């Protein structure tokens, strides 16, 4: 047992361990991803002074799957997820999170001596966590804090050492977003209500199990203001603070609180949270593997189900893209982090929580109905892939024809989801200017990345067109899906930027990373193997299997130049970057030239050396990006990867585990077994028959069955 697990167990009360540590939740360590990665041999470069690597940006607090509330400690506002493991001071506990430098709303902190300031030292020796639970001892206030949550509510329990001068700070001027206004009012003897405005308003209704002596407000609504709730003296029982939140109104926040917590105790809500996580995690049972691999698997599976987040209330009301309060009979969710998660996590969500996926699609269409375009996230148009992939896998109880029409607008209409779409349609590529001395921060079109991604998005949309019988658009979109070839420069054998006149950009260094010049958060090496929908066509560009293999070998062996530093292009195997998403398909590419053993060697290196690293085993090799990094681990360790997430099939790799039992949405059992100890794939048998190729159909998730992986 490693030191971190010992620490966690030592300081969780024995009763809680007996009551809640069982099944699969016992393997989850919610601190994974909160520590920084500092090893330059892994990062690829020495961290510049003052830099912290983006090695996770996760939070350790309490949440249910895809919940509105993520109740977690804050050690640094403005950081990715608000909590950084190396810190020693806590400033509050906030009720929303994601890990993208935003949210962290409604900060609350129990205090007992505000003369010391509104923060408290803490130690990991007196801190613990589990799915749906977080605990820490605030040393400066002598308060033991325990947190749990429901879908829309946070449940705080404070054990003050002293029963006098007990106070609670509502630090409503703070969040990871800019706060423009805030308000708090007392409602009766033991309740409070208000809002925090950061673009949109986030409302709350809070209820205490003790009376409020007074509510002290300082500079209400101002950016340097705060409020302090003074509690009456005399009680010896722990203070409980229950907070419902809503993106609609304080009345809805109160209703959320009454319906989800009601009269239930802290321990009851915590047990419900654990049971919900146990039900989700136990859908996949594993045998074999090391203890670290089991911990990493279930921790990554847990992390894959925190986003997208619920935004509708118990009465089904939500605030739509036009800022109107509406009710449409489904749970409304935030858009997924599509540029990151379309590759794997959105598919995994549908394989475990199809109702959430269905409601996410309805939510995206609702945005499209109001704005004219299905939402995108950051880059590309990958809502197309996520929706197409779900639809082709049988999640189809939504208005597919209406959704398809909006996706066609995404693919063809300027001013919406796809920047530079007119140029893309006219030329078959998106150009960039020829800049004499480009650097990491050079601003341009990221034309290579956009062209490659739009090509894949066109392919994805074509699959919906095909199923709906729209042969005209199918033909057009499939032709456009070959546009990735227009970025391939045969003289350098890279995907290379082009000028408006079609010439290649002259100042070209394939090893240099850019944020948005030619490439989005990548270099030429990292995007030159991306055509998941047309690998035979991509291989042909390299002159066939031999030339492709040689180039792919170089991707993983040419050393990274440590002078080339882009904060999120980190964790290198040669030129391959696992710390960011653009090349996450590349380790599997050897399969397409019938060299699966070469892929497996790279995959195993990533699984075993780039997750759960650092002194405490708590760092990841890059930003988790709303669960994409975790989902990569989950699927790769199970031996089923979503190489082209649009297509209802899975690439079979060698699992880390001897046996995997997956209870599917149809109630059937899908079993994967690996009888040998070898790691080089030699054969795949499906229901006793030898598989021709390496892909298995999604039909196995409908009917159940057995996949046996033979190795040497």
């Amino acid at each position: 047992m490693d030191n971190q697990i010992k620490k966690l167990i030592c300081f969780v009360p024995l009763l809680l361990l007996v009551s809640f540590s069982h099944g699969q939740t016992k393997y989850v360590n919610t601190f994974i991803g909160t520590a920084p990665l500092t090893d330059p041999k892994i990062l690829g470069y020495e961290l510049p002074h003052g830099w912290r690597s983006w090695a996770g940006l996760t939070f350790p607090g309490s949440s249910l799957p895809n919940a509105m509330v993520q109740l977690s400690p804050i050690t640094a506002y403005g950081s990715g997820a608000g909590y950084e493991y190396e810190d020693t001071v806590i400033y509050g506990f906030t009720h929303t999170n994601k890990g993208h430098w935003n949210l962290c709303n409604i900060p609350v902190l129990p205090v007992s001596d505000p003369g010391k300031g509104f923060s408290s030292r803490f130690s990991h020796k007196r801190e613990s966590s589990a799915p749906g639970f977080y605990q820490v001892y605030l040393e400066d206030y002598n308060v033991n804090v325990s947190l749990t949550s429901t879908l829309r509510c946070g449940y705080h329990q404070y054990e003050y050492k002293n029963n006098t001068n007990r106070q609670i700070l509502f630090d409503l001027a703070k969040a990871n977003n800019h706060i423009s206004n805030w308000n708090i009012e007392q409602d009766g003897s033991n309740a409070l209500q208000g809002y925090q405005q950061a673009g949109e308003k986030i409302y709350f209704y809070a209820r205490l199990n003790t009376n409020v002596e007074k509510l002290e407000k300082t500079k209400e609504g101002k950016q340097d203001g705060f409020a302090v709730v003074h509690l009456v003296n005399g009680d010896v029982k722990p203070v409980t603070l229950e907070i419902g939140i809503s993106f609609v109104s304080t009345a809805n926040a109160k209703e959320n609180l009454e319906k989800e917590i009601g009269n239930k105790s802290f321990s009851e809500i915590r047990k419900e949270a654990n049971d919900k996580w146990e039900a989700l995690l136990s859908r996949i049972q594993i045998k074999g593997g090391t203890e670290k691999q089991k911990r990493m698997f279930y921790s990554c599976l847990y992390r894959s189900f925190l986003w997208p987040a619920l935004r509708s209330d118990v009465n089904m009301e939500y605030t739509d893209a036009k800022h109107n309060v509406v009710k449409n009979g489904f749970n409304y969710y935030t858009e997924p982090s599509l540029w990151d998660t379309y590759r794997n996590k959105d598919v995994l969500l549908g394989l475990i929580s199809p109702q959430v996926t269905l409601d996410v699609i309805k939510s995206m269409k609702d945005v499209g109905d109001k704005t004219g375009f299905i939402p995108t996230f950051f880059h590309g148009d990958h809502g197309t892939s996520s929706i197409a992939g779900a639809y082709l896998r049988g999640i189809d109880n939504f208005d597919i024809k209406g959704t398809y029409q909006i996706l066609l607008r995404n693919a063809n209409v300027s001013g919406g989801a796809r920047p530079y779409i007119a140029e893309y349609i006219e030329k078959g590529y998106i150009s960039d200017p020829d800049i004499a001395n480009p650097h990491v921060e050079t601003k341009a079109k990221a034309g290579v990345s956009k062209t490659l991604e739009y090509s894949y998005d066109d392919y994805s949309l074509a699959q919906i067109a095909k199923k709906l019988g729209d042969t005209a658009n199918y033909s057009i979109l499939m032709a456009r899906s070959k546009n990735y070839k227009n970025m391939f420069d045969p003289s350098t054998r890279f995907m290379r930027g082009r000028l408006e006149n079609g010439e290649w950009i002259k100042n070209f260094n394939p090893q240099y990373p850019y944020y948005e010049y030619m490439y989005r958060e990548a270099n030429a090496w990292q995007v030159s193997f991306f055509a998941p929908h047309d690998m035979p066509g991509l291989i042909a560009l390299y002159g066939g299997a031999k030339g492709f293999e040689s180039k792919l070998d170089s991707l993983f062996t040419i050393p990274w130049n440590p002078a080339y530093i882009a904060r999120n292009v980190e964790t290198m195997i040669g030129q391959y970057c696992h710390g960011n998403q653009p090349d996450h398909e590349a380790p599997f590419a050897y399969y397409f030239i019938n060299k699966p053993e070469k892929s497996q060697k790279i995959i195993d290196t990533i699984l075993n050396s780039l997750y759960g690293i650092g002194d405490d085993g708590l760092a990841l090799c890059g930003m988790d990006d709303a669960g994409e990094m975790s989902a990569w681990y989950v699927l790769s360790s199970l031996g089923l990867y979503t190489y082209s997430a649009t297509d209802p099939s899975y690439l079979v790799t060698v699992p880390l585990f001897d046996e995997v039992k997956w209870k599917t949405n149809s109630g059937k059992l899908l079993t994967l077994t690996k009888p040998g100890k070898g790691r080089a794939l030699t054969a795949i048998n499906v229901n006793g028959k030898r598989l021709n190729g390496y892909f298995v159909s999604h039909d196995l998730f409908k009917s159940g069955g057995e996949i046996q992986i033979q190795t040497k």
Side-chain angles (χ1 to χ4, degrees), residues 205-223:
Y205 190 89
R207 184 174 63 193
L208 289 149
N209 68 339
T210 188
N211 286 341
V212 174
E213 181 180 276
K214 69 175 179 176
L215 171 61
E216 181 183 8
K217 294 186 280 189
T218 300
K219 297 183 179 180
E220 184 171 15
K222 304 298 183 183
Q223 293 179 17

Side-chain angles (χ1 to χ4, degrees), residues 678-695:
R679 300 300 300 167
L681 179 67
T682 58
I684 303 165
N685 296 317
V686 178
N687 294 330
K689 295 182 180 180
R690 180 74 172 262
L691 181 69
N692 182 21
Y694 302 107
F695 283 87

Side-chain angles (χ1 to χ4, degrees), residues 217-351:
K217 294 186 280 189
T218 300
K219 297 183 179 180
E220 184 171 15
K222 304 298 183 183
Q223 293 179 17
D224 57 347
F226 56 90
V228 177
V229 178
H230 297 258
L231 307 179
V232 297
N233 294 327
D235 287 342
V236 295
K237 62 182 182 295
V239 171
T240 61
L241 173 68
E242 306 155 13
I243 301 182
I245 71 170
S246 167
F247 290 80
V248 174
S249 67
T250 52
N252 278 17
K254 183 178 182 180
E255 185 179 8
N256 291 342
L257 180 62
E258 291 171 342
K259 293 287 178 62
E260 291 189 351
I261 293 182
N263 296 319
K264 293 177 183 176
S265 67
F266 183 92
S267 61
E268 287 175 310
I269 294 298
R270 191 200 162 184
K271 183 178 185 304
E272 288 181 3
N274 182 84
D275 290 348
K276 287 177 181 176
W277 277 114
E278 186 61 39
L280 187 153
L281 298 173
S282 63
R283 288 279 300 276
I284 303 176
Q285 305 275 348
I286 55 177
K287 290 183 180 178
T290 66
E291 284 300 302
K292 178 183 177 181
Q293 288 169 342
K294 290 176 183 176
R295 288 200 307 273
M296 195 57 57
F297 172 77
Y298 283 110
S299 296
C300 285
L301 186 60
Y302 162 84
R303 189 70 59 193
S304 299
F305 286 84
L306 295 175
W307 197 265
L310 183 65
R311 283 294 179 264
S312 54
D313 297 320
V314 292
N315 64 7
M316 308 298 280
E317 288 183 345
Y318 61 91
T319 301
D320 70 7
K322 290 294 186 180
H323 311 294
N324 296 316
V325 175
V326 296
K327 183 192 297 188
N328 282 321
F330 61 88
N331 282 323
Y332 188 76
Y333 286 88
T334 60
E335 66 193 66
S337 296
L338 292 164
W339 190 64
D340 312 304
T341 61
Y342 83 93
R343 294 170 169 83
N344 49 39
K345 202 205 83 168
D346 294 352
V347 177
L348 181 60
L349 180 67
L351 292 174

Side-chain angles (χ1 to χ4, degrees), residues 123-189:
S123 166
H124 297 307
K125 294 180 179 180
R126 306 184 77 177
E127 180 186 39
S128 62
S129 70
F133 176 75
Y134 174 83
Q135 171 275 327
V136 69
Y137 190 82
L138 300 180
E139 296 173 1
D140 289 325
Y141 300 130
N142 291 311
V143 179
N144 187 59
V145 176
S146 299
L147 309 173
T148 189
S149 58
T150 66
L151 283 174
R152 302 170 179 89
C153 304
Y155 204 143
H156 306 234
Q157 180 173 275
Y158 306 144
E159 298 169 79
Y160 291 83
K161 183 176 181 180
N162 299 316
N163 295 319
T164 59
N165 200 27
R166 299 173 303 172
Q167 302 171 24
I168 301 173
L169 169 72
F170 278 72
D171 208 3
L172 297 174
K174 292 188 175 66
N176 267 8
N177 295 93
H178 172 76
I179 301 300
S180 60
N181 194 14
W182 60 271
N183 164 265
I184 186 171
E185 302 291 343
Q186 190 169 337
D187 183 41
S189 61

Side-chain angles (χ1 to χ4, degrees), residues 20-29 130-131 274 277-278 281:
F20 299 109
S21 276
H22 59 83
Q24 317 317 313
T25 56
K26 70 183 178 183
Y27 290 113
V28 176
N29 185 342
N274 182 84
W277 277 114
E278 186 61 39
L281 298 173

Side-chain angles (χ1 to χ4, degrees), residues 591-649:
Y591 270 79
F592 296 91
I593 53 171
N594 204 31
K595 296 287 182 72
E597 69 282 356
K598 280 194 162 186
S599 277
Q600 197 61 54
K601 186 175 181 180
I602 300 296
I603 293 166
D604 284 349
T605 297
I606 296 168
L607 290 172
N608 293 320
S609 63
L610 299 183
Y611 288 77
I613 48 184
D615 294 339
D616 296 297
L618 298 179
L620 296 175
C621 59
M623 182 179 173
D624 197 43
D625 272 316
E628 190 278 343
M629 192 75 69
S630 289
W632 195 100
Y633 185 98
V634 169
L635 293 165
S636 299
S637 68
L638 292 178
L640 292 175
Y641 195 74
T642 55
Y643 190 81
S644 171
T646 293
D647 295 303
S649 60

Side-chain angles (χ1 to χ4, degrees), residues 408-422:
L408 282 174
R409 282 181 52 83
N410 277 30
N412 292 288
V413 178
S414 297
R418 297 197 193 185
Y420 314 109
I421 189 61

